[in-house]
Amino acid sequence: MRVQPAAPATRREAVRLALWWLTAGALATGLAAHFTLVLLHVLPPNPVSAAFRGVTRAWVVPRFAQDWRLFAPTPVVNDCTAYARALYDDADGEHVTEWLDFSTPVVRAVQRNRLSPRNAVLPMLFTAMYDVTNRAGPRDGLLRQRLLEEWSDVARQPPSLVVLEASGSAALAAAHPDRAFRHVQVMIAIQPPLPFAERNAPEDERPQAAYLVLPRVPFQPVAAWGAGR
Amino acid sequence: MSAAFWTRVRRRLTTERHLLGCALVRLGAGLVALSYLVGHWSARELLWGPGAVYPLFLYRRDLSLLRWPSLFAVESDVAFTALYVAAIAVVGLYTIGWQTRWLGLPFYVVVSSLLARNPMLLTGGDALFLAELPFLVFLDTGAYLSVDSGWRRPGERFEPPSRPFAALLHNVALIGIAIQLCMAYEVSGLYKVAGELWRNGTAVYYALRRPEFVLPGVSAAIYRPASVVTLLTYGTVAFEIAYPFLVWKRGTRWLAVLIATLFHGAIAVVMGLVTFAAEMLVFQLVLLDDEQYRRAYGWLVRADERRR
């Protein structure tokens, strides 16, 4: 069926129609510009995105910030576990607590109940662990030492490490409510999985874990689980 | 192009479309936001309060870099709790569809403020949520299942009043939501194609073995058979790459929504990424038009009558 164009009846209607088309044109242009910038920002590395990185970043971050590397190009394969210990003083002098595993209880809580409030904390802890281990990288000796010295100052730490220390502090405070801690220290255990070809082998045949021990920093009071402070 | 073509374009853009889907998006987005606010009531201080694991000093240090201010970055516990309760009220009212035209913007401000207070909590689902919320502000989300509409049901016919400019904004926002969804899946698929483990068909094995994604008694049954792992790995890539093409044609949109629902539903149950799955699914609801929803609703009503 042919649609006949409707002619505007009055001058007022004609102005409204022109305004409508102007608005439609502006919105279409805006939408196209927005998604061109977002697309250039999120695409895998390529020459065009690199050429416009400054412009795309200025538009996309922070309001439209997004990253679609979901488990890609390579999913993180290592298992990580976060531990924390604290230093405290009493009449006998300085003491250090045992290492406390504060990521596994969160994993267990979410495994028991997929709707547990810990559901939000779980990705936060693991994202933080992967970020810290990536930043520490495979460097050895002097380079690793320099990085850890830099991180002994909380003000120079990456957000992921600050969040791990704060989460560890909350767990330690809950485990030892009667102690006043002076310092907190975080350690991350990194264990590679069994390769796909050995997926049916027993768990105890997995490769040994490596440990990343991070510098001790002043203990920070953090809100407790389950209630307001 | 002929004048008749432009008349058809104008006719399409001056009629508010997909009103049932928009109402469902309002309900879904509101429930996701409420699951954050009410579901994490007991942990609110730890996650977003003055004593949060993402401390205020860190938030202030990185604010110039992130350029993302938050209403919840306050030092007083009382002020924080008052803001938190106010946020629940705003989100609750928006969810039930009270004054949706005006509450859309406060809803966006409240949700983005909450997520901005602790960027370490953000997942890919939150990123999609934040990217889609500005479009939600311009949608007419109150035509069905809302206080504003007197709780109009999906089976009832409704002709929206003639509002050419509001309808234009509504329809452009709808297109924006669909493009953003397509971009998320397509780019994710492109990254996967470039990955060795996705190409050799084993990526799902490694993802399912990570302790944070294990469901005891179930995960191993999925990642042990090589055929299942390969099928799921290639199936994921195929779905993500095909998604925009399925959405493009009206006739296959239901298939895109169905596969996405199964895909994210499985991720929620097996991998525990419940909020992520909900956030990825909510905006798919605008893809189906009112006729498709009415047919589905009619089918459900008839099935219910037969059951009785």
Side-chain angles (χ1 to χ4, degrees), chain A residues 66 71 114 199-200 203, chain B residues 67 180 198 209 224 270:
Chain A
Q66 49 196 286
F71 298 94
R114 290 305 201 207
R199 63 192 179 283
N200 293 319
E203 279 292 304
Chain B
R67 297 181 287 129
Q180 176 63 65
W198 289 98
R209 281 210 73 139
R224 288 232 160 93
V270 177

Side-chain angles (χ1 to χ4, degrees), chain B residues 120-224:
Chain B
M120 284 299 296
L121 280 174
L122 293 184
T123 64
D126 295 326
L128 181 71
F129 209 63
L130 288 169
E132 297 282 31
L133 280 184
F135 295 113
L136 195 61
V137 172
F138 299 107
L139 286 186
D140 179 0
T141 60
Y144 286 92
L145 303 166
S146 67
V147 173
D148 289 349
S149 71
W151 295 104
R152 185 177 293 116
R153 291 149 63 121
E156 295 176 44
R157 289 267 164 195
F158 170 65
E159 289 297 326
S162 174
R163 294 178 295 205
F165 286 91
L168 175 65
L169 276 174
H170 170 92
N171 290 318
V172 170
L174 267 183
I175 296 167
I177 286 176
I179 295 175
Q180 176 63 65
L181 274 171
C182 292
M183 190 181 289
Y185 284 105
E186 194 65 23
V187 172
S188 184
L190 280 178
Y191 271 109
K192 286 184 174 72
V193 168
E196 173 61 25
L197 297 180
W198 289 98
R199 283 203 307 270
N200 72 17
T202 62
V204 166
Y205 164 77
Y206 292 99
L208 289 180
R209 281 210 73 139
R210 297 236 309 259
E212 69 267 39
F213 299 135
V214 164
L215 182 61
V218 175
S219 300
I222 299 171
Y223 68 63
R224 288 232 160 93

Side-chain angles (χ1 to χ4, degrees), chain B:
Chain B
M1 279 176 231
S2 69
F5 169 80
W6 292 109
T7 303
R8 240 189 334 258
V9 169
R10 182 173 145 77
R11 193 167 291 169
R12 282 186 76 84
L13 289 174
T14 48
T15 308
E16 292 176 8
R17 310 176 79 81
H18 295 218
L19 289 171
L20 259 165
C22 291
L24 293 173
V25 167
R26 184 199 76 240
L27 281 166
L31 289 173
V32 167
L34 281 175
S35 78
Y36 262 120
L37 287 159
V38 180
H40 295 88
W41 173 262
S42 63
R44 68 190 185 282
E45 292 270 1
L46 185 83
L47 300 178
W48 302 290
V53 288
Y54 195 92
L56 271 174
F57 87 83
L58 187 61
Y59 170 82
R60 289 187 183 124
R61 186 189 80 181
D62 293 348
L63 187 57
S64 59
L65 194 71
L66 297 171
R67 297 181 287 129
W68 190 9
S70 168
L71 292 172
F72 295 95
V74 291
E75 290 193 18
S76 154
D77 287 343
V78 176
F80 169 73
T81 302
L83 281 166
Y84 201 86
V85 172
I88 292 174
V90 167
V91 172
L93 288 172
Y94 181 76
T95 307
I96 61 170
W98 183 77
Q99 298 293 324
T100 47
R101 279 279 180 200
W102 307 110
L103 274 180
L105 187 60
F107 176 76
Y108 171 47
V109 170
V110 159
V111 173
S112 65
S113 268
L114 185 77
L115 296 175
R117 176 61 189 87
N118 186 346
M120 284 299 296
L121 280 174
L122 293 184
T123 64
D126 295 326
L128 181 71
F129 209 63
L130 288 169
E132 297 282 31
L133 280 184
F135 295 113
L136 195 61
V137 172
F138 299 107
L139 286 186
D140 179 0
T141 60
Y144 286 92
L145 303 166
S146 67
V147 173
D148 289 349
S149 71
W151 295 104
R152 185 177 293 116
R153 291 149 63 121
E156 295 176 44
R157 289 267 164 195
F158 170 65
E159 289 297 326
S162 174
R163 294 178 295 205
F165 286 91
L168 175 65
L169 276 174
H170 170 92
N171 290 318
V172 170
L174 267 183
I175 296 167
I177 286 176
I179 295 175
Q180 176 63 65
L181 274 171
C182 292
M183 190 181 289
Y185 284 105
E186 194 65 23
V187 172
S188 184
L190 280 178
Y191 271 109
K192 286 184 174 72
V193 168
E196 173 61 25
L197 297 180
W198 289 98
R199 283 203 307 270
N200 72 17
T202 62
V204 166
Y205 164 77
Y206 292 99
L208 289 180
R209 281 210 73 139
R210 297 236 309 259
E212 69 267 39
F213 299 135
V214 164
L215 182 61
V218 175
S219 300
I222 299 171
Y223 68 63
R224 288 232 160 93
S227 53
V228 174
V229 170
T230 307
L231 188 71
L232 291 176
T233 303
Y234 290 154
T236 301
V237 179
F239 165 63
E240 291 188 342
I241 295 285
Y243 183 86
F245 303 99
L246 292 174
V247 167
W248 184 257
K249 294 281 288 179
R250 181 180 179 270
T252 52
R253 264 178 225 154
W254 66 272
L255 190 61
V257 175
L258 178 69
I259 299 174
T261 305
L262 295 172
F263 178 66
H264 291 296
I267 286 176
V269 174
V270 177
M271 300 176 77
L273 296 167
V274 178
T275 310
F276 169 79
E279 288 170 326
M280 295 300 286
L281 281 177
V282 157
F283 290 95
Q284 319 256 353
L285 297 170
V286 294
L287 297 177
L288 303 181
D289 61 39
D290 292 2
E291 270 317 303
Q292 289 172 307
Y293 275 117
R294 282 207 187 90
R295 269 207 302 276
Y297 182 74
W299 184 81
L300 283 174
V301 169
R302 282 192 298 278
D304 187 49
E305 283 168 356
R306 273 199 299 274
R307 192 176 55 82
R308 288 178 193 174

